[in-house]
Amino acid sequence: MNHPTHRNQLQIPIVQSQLNQGWTYQDQVNAATQGLTVLEFYTQRYPHSPPETWQDRIDQDQILLDGAPTTADTCLKQGQRLTYDRPPWQEPAVPLTIPIIYEDSDLLVVAKPSGLPVLPGGGFLEHTLLWQLQQHYPQRPPFPIHRLGRGTSGLMLLARSRRARSALSQQLCQGEIRKIYRTLVVGTSLPEQFCVRQPIGKIPYPQLGYLYAATQEGLAAQSTCRVLRRYLDTALVEVEIHTGRPHQIRIHLAAAGYPLVGDPLYGIGGVPLSKPAEETQSRPMPGHCGYHLHAHHLQFKHPTQGHFLSLLCPPLPVLA
């Protein structure tokens, strides 16, 4: 018999002033990248760093080709392996406490705080939900069934057994996991209820190469929205997503004309905001925070016991 745990506090022993352990990025040259130089490969694959930075890393032997130092102008052949040994770095600060909403031998549901990334990327490695949970569950690290953006808080479902992972992944693909969010949007002229079916796909974006946004060439996506409360110039909205496209709620509400309050990236139309007014300002990125979005309600079938679970995570007062 499984014994669930509710609303415990999982203390994360992070010392945020220390450096992490560094990381090794590994890539293999394929048919699409053969013929590129080493410098061209890294500049195109990882555009977050300028060519000058990659040149310095190559010169310092941080990048190896088939295990040996290389040069920036070496032409690549299909099948060759590239490795980049990134030295330890200090990661941005993140919230330190992760409440456990439900736990048994098959499942883990946590309340992810806003500001904590789920997966490594964008300067985060150890300061991520996945890495921290791996330290607390070293024998059977939980596997995330779905994703939440860094700025999104609330319910996050993870599997603790292979059987649970398979069953929950199937439920997700078949649309049988119900996910309901709360958010605060700009504007008050919204209908009481409305549905957004704007396709979402990749569009070009500086520094990243691409990001997800509203585009007719994208994949089908559907969100059902309901107004909970209207204020002077904003509205509290409940959103149920029937598909799981990246940044779907942010894109869909912006596409409908009601972007999230404080969203630094997506403006009306569901596309990135215009270029910063000053050249010294960096462009907003998908992982930047500032908006209010909370995964409030999660409903699914227990993958091994068969009964339905309906879990709630109270939002912050601004979304209550």
Side-chain angles (χ1 to χ4, degrees), residues 196-203 213-221 251-252 255 269-271:
V196 184
R197 294 185 174 87
Q198 168 66 51
I200 295 174
K202 297 177 180 179
I203 66 170
T215 171
Q216 291 306 119
E217 290 72 40
L219 297 175
I251 294 170
H252 267 183
V271 294

Side-chain angles (χ1 to χ4, degrees), residues 116-127:
L116 178 65
V118 173
L119 301 176
F124 294 94
L125 177 62
E126 298 177 4
H127 292 183

Side-chain angles (χ1 to χ4, degrees), residues 79-80 131 193 258:
Q80 289 183 308
W131 192 90
Q193 297 187 34
Y258 309 102

Side-chain angles (χ1 to χ4, degrees), residues 14 16 91-95 98 112-133 147-152 156 287-289:
I14 299 177
Q16 299 197 74
E91 301 180 33
V94 297
I98 304 172
K112 187 191 84 65
S114 175
L116 178 65
V118 173
L119 301 176
F124 294 94
L125 177 62
E126 298 177 4
H127 292 183
T128 60
L129 175 67
L130 189 61
W131 192 90
Q132 295 299 324
L133 291 178
R147 307 285 191 269
L148 295 179
R150 182 190 168 205
T152 304
M156 179 90 190
H288 289 174
C289 302

